[in-house]
Amino acid sequence: DVQREERATAINKVRAMMRDREGNLLIATHDEGLDIYKGDGFRSFSDIDGLVERHVWAVVEDHDHNIWFGTSEGITILDPSASGSLSSRDLTYANGDIPYYDVRALTVDAAGHVWICTGSSGDATAGGLGEWASGRKIDHADLSPLLGKNQVTALAPAPQGGVYVGTFGSLLYLV
Protein backbone atom coordinates (compact mmCIF):
# COMPACT_ATOMS: atom_id res chain seq x y z
CA ASP A 1 0.00 0.00 0.00
CA VAL A 2 1.56 3.27 -1.14
CA GLN A 3 0.44 6.58 0.31
CA ARG A 4 1.60 10.03 -0.65
CA GLU A 5 2.10 12.64 2.05
CA GLU A 6 0.89 16.06 0.98
CA ARG A 7 2.12 19.40 2.25
CA ALA A 8 1.74 23.00 1.14
CA THR A 9 5.20 23.23 -0.45
CA ALA A 10 5.99 20.15 -2.50
CA ILE A 11 8.99 18.14 -1.35
CA ASN A 12 11.09 17.50 -4.42
CA LYS A 13 14.54 16.02 -4.78
CA VAL A 14 14.89 14.25 -1.43
CA ARG A 15 18.61 13.78 -0.67
CA ALA A 16 18.48 11.89 2.64
CA MET A 17 16.09 10.83 5.41
CA MET A 18 16.37 9.62 8.98
CA ARG A 19 14.27 9.16 12.08
CA ASP A 20 15.36 11.01 15.19
CA ARG A 21 15.17 9.60 18.74
CA GLU A 22 11.59 10.88 19.08
CA GLY A 23 10.49 9.11 15.89
CA ASN A 24 10.18 12.26 13.75
CA LEU A 25 11.07 11.84 10.09
CA LEU A 26 13.74 14.33 8.97
CA ILE A 27 13.80 14.86 5.21
CA ALA A 28 16.82 16.57 3.62
CA THR A 29 15.91 18.26 0.34
CA HIS A 30 17.91 19.55 -2.61
CA ASP A 31 16.75 23.15 -2.44
CA GLU A 32 14.15 23.59 0.30
CA GLY A 33 16.20 22.88 3.42
CA LEU A 34 14.92 20.27 5.85
CA ASP A 35 11.38 19.11 6.48
CA ILE A 36 10.46 17.47 9.77
CA TYR A 37 7.38 15.25 9.71
CA LYS A 38 6.00 14.74 13.22
CA GLY A 39 3.10 12.49 12.21
CA ASP A 40 0.49 15.22 12.21
CA GLY A 41 2.17 17.72 9.91
CA PHE A 42 5.37 19.18 8.54
CA ARG A 43 7.72 21.79 9.95
CA SER A 44 10.27 23.32 7.59
CA PHE A 45 13.77 24.45 8.55
CA SER A 46 15.73 26.50 5.99
CA ASP A 47 18.32 29.23 5.67
CA ILE A 48 15.66 31.70 6.84
CA ASP A 49 15.48 29.76 10.15
CA GLY A 50 19.25 29.57 10.63
CA LEU A 51 20.33 26.69 8.39
CA VAL A 52 23.74 27.61 6.94
CA GLU A 53 22.39 26.94 3.42
CA ARG A 54 19.23 25.39 1.95
CA HIS A 55 20.74 22.58 -0.21
CA VAL A 56 20.81 19.73 2.34
CA TRP A 57 22.72 16.56 1.39
CA ALA A 58 22.90 14.68 4.70
CA VAL A 59 21.34 14.54 8.15
CA VAL A 60 22.42 12.61 11.26
CA GLU A 61 21.70 12.62 14.99
CA ASP A 62 24.73 12.43 17.29
CA HIS A 63 24.93 10.64 20.66
CA ASP A 64 23.97 13.86 22.46
CA HIS A 65 20.80 14.07 20.30
CA ASN A 66 21.99 17.09 18.33
CA ILE A 67 20.91 17.04 14.69
CA TRP A 68 23.64 17.70 12.09
CA PHE A 69 22.61 18.98 8.64
CA GLY A 70 25.21 18.75 5.86
CA THR A 71 24.67 21.39 3.18
CA SER A 72 26.45 22.80 0.14
CA GLU A 73 28.04 25.49 2.33
CA GLY A 74 28.80 23.59 5.53
CA ILE A 75 27.02 22.12 8.54
CA THR A 76 24.35 23.38 10.89
CA ILE A 77 24.10 21.60 14.25
CA LEU A 78 20.70 21.95 15.90
CA ASP A 79 20.24 21.37 19.62
CA PRO A 80 16.59 20.33 19.91
CA SER A 81 16.76 20.25 23.73
CA ALA A 82 17.37 24.01 23.98
CA SER A 83 14.43 25.87 25.44
CA GLY A 84 12.89 28.82 23.64
CA SER A 85 14.17 29.66 20.17
CA LEU A 86 16.14 27.22 18.05
CA SER A 87 19.73 26.82 19.20
CA SER A 88 22.17 26.10 16.38
CA ARG A 89 25.85 26.29 15.49
CA ASP A 90 27.46 26.39 12.04
CA LEU A 91 30.64 24.65 10.86
CA THR A 92 32.08 25.98 7.59
CA TYR A 93 35.08 25.58 5.31
CA ALA A 94 35.69 29.35 5.42
CA ASN A 95 36.18 29.08 9.21
CA GLY A 96 38.43 26.00 8.90
CA ASP A 97 35.88 23.73 10.58
CA ILE A 98 35.49 21.20 7.74
CA PRO A 99 37.78 19.96 4.92
CA TYR A 100 35.79 21.52 2.04
CA TYR A 101 32.40 22.87 1.04
CA ASP A 102 29.59 20.51 0.00
CA VAL A 103 28.99 18.18 2.93
CA ARG A 104 27.79 15.05 1.10
CA ALA A 105 27.53 12.50 3.92
CA LEU A 106 27.54 12.32 7.71
CA THR A 107 27.71 9.37 10.07
CA VAL A 108 28.29 8.72 13.77
CA ASP A 109 30.61 5.92 14.87
CA ALA A 110 30.23 3.73 17.95
CA ALA A 111 32.39 6.12 20.00
CA GLY A 112 30.05 9.01 19.20
CA HIS A 113 32.39 10.76 16.78
CA VAL A 114 30.69 12.51 13.86
CA TRP A 115 32.40 11.84 10.53
CA ILE A 116 32.01 14.36 7.71
CA CYS A 117 32.37 13.63 4.00
CA THR A 118 32.92 16.72 1.87
CA GLY A 119 33.23 16.93 -1.88
CA SER A 120 32.46 18.88 -4.98
CA SER A 121 30.59 17.79 -8.05
CA GLY A 122 32.63 20.30 -10.07
CA ASP A 123 36.10 19.13 -8.99
CA ALA A 124 36.75 15.42 -8.48
CA THR A 125 39.96 16.18 -6.54
CA ALA A 126 38.34 18.57 -4.07
CA GLY A 127 36.93 17.42 -0.79
CA GLY A 128 37.96 15.37 2.13
CA LEU A 129 37.11 13.69 5.36
CA GLY A 130 36.57 15.30 8.74
CA GLU A 131 35.88 14.08 12.26
CA TRP A 132 34.38 15.85 15.29
CA ALA A 133 34.35 14.57 18.86
CA SER A 134 33.28 16.31 22.05
CA GLY A 135 32.69 19.58 20.22
CA ARG A 136 36.13 19.80 18.63
CA LYS A 137 37.69 19.04 15.26
CA ILE A 138 40.09 16.09 14.99
CA ASP A 139 42.71 16.63 12.28
CA HIS A 140 43.47 13.81 9.85
CA ALA A 141 46.42 15.07 7.83
CA ASP A 142 47.64 11.46 7.73
CA LEU A 143 44.68 10.46 5.54
CA SER A 144 45.73 12.42 2.45
CA PRO A 145 48.04 9.65 1.13
CA LEU A 146 45.26 7.08 1.62
CA LEU A 147 42.67 9.18 -0.16
CA GLY A 148 44.97 10.41 -2.92
CA LYS A 149 42.84 12.24 -5.45
CA ASN A 150 39.82 10.06 -4.71
CA GLN A 151 36.81 12.11 -3.73
CA VAL A 152 35.07 10.82 -0.59
CA THR A 153 31.49 9.95 -1.51
CA ALA A 154 29.96 7.88 1.30
CA LEU A 155 30.32 6.99 4.98
CA ALA A 156 29.00 4.19 7.20
CA PRO A 157 29.74 3.30 10.81
CA ALA A 158 31.47 -0.04 11.29
CA PRO A 159 29.86 -2.33 13.89
CA GLN A 160 33.27 -3.14 15.40
CA GLY A 161 34.11 0.59 15.71
CA GLY A 162 35.56 3.04 13.24
CA VAL A 163 34.04 3.99 9.93
CA TYR A 164 33.88 2.79 6.33
CA VAL A 165 34.80 5.45 3.78
CA GLY A 166 33.71 5.13 0.17
CA THR A 167 35.58 7.06 -2.53
CA PHE A 168 35.54 7.19 -6.31
CA GLY A 169 38.56 4.88 -6.23
CA SER A 170 38.30 2.63 -3.18
CA LEU A 171 36.63 1.52 0.03
CA LEU A 172 38.58 2.20 3.24
CA TYR A 173 38.09 1.08 6.81
CA LEU A 174 39.34 3.57 9.41
CA VAL A 175 39.63 2.90 13.13
Side-chain angles (χ1 to χ4, degrees), residues 6-132:
E6 299 293 334
R7 71 175 183 94
T9 304
I11 296 174
N12 63 10
K13 296 185 182 176
V14 173
R15 297 278 188 194
M17 293 187 293
M18 66 153 287
R19 288 222 180 259
D20 67 12
R21 67 183 163 101
E22 296 176 358
N24 300 314
L25 182 63
L26 286 74
I27 305 164
T29 70
H30 173 71
D31 56 3
E32 294 296 326
L34 184 86
D35 283 298
I36 302 169
Y37 183 66
K38 294 185 169 264
D40 60 349
F42 286 91
R43 175 170 184 329
S44 296
F45 185 66
S46 73
D47 51 342
I48 296 167
D49 304 301
L51 191 63
V52 71
E53 202 267 337
R54 73 167 73 209
H55 295 87
V56 182
W57 287 87
V59 59
V60 71
E61 183 174 21
D62 68 20
H63 287 192
D64 293 324
H65 308 297
N66 297 307
I67 309 294
W68 295 56
F69 309 116
T71 76
S72 294
E73 292 295 325
I75 295 171
T76 296
I77 305 168
L78 178 67
D79 179 359
S81 67
S83 60
S85 62
L86 291 175
S87 174
S88 65
R89 172 183 174 200
D90 293 336
L91 305 177
T92 64
Y93 175 67
N95 291 336
D97 301 320
I98 57 176
Y100 198 71
Y101 301 98
D102 285 336
V103 176
R104 298 299 175 104
L106 297 164
T107 196
V108 180
D109 68 17
H113 297 196
V114 177
W115 289 81
I116 303 161
C117 158
T118 63
S120 170
S121 57
D123 182 355
T125 64
L129 184 66
E131 180 183 8
W132 277 75

Side-chain angles (χ1 to χ4, degrees), residues 95-173:
N95 291 336
D97 301 320
I98 57 176
Y100 198 71
Y101 301 98
D102 285 336
V103 176
R104 298 299 175 104
L106 297 164
T107 196
V108 180
D109 68 17
H113 297 196
V114 177
W115 289 81
I116 303 161
C117 158
T118 63
S120 170
S121 57
D123 182 355
T125 64
L129 184 66
E131 180 183 8
W132 277 75
S134 302
R136 65 180 180 83
K137 178 180 164 183
I138 298 174
D139 287 316
H140 283 291
D142 57 326
L143 292 180
S144 294
L146 286 173
L147 296 174
K149 294 187 179 201
N150 294 324
Q151 184 177 1
V152 177
T153 57
L155 299 168
Q160 67 275 24
V163 65
Y164 292 107
V165 179
T167 75
F168 279 151
S170 64
L171 175 64
L172 305 170
Y173 168 63

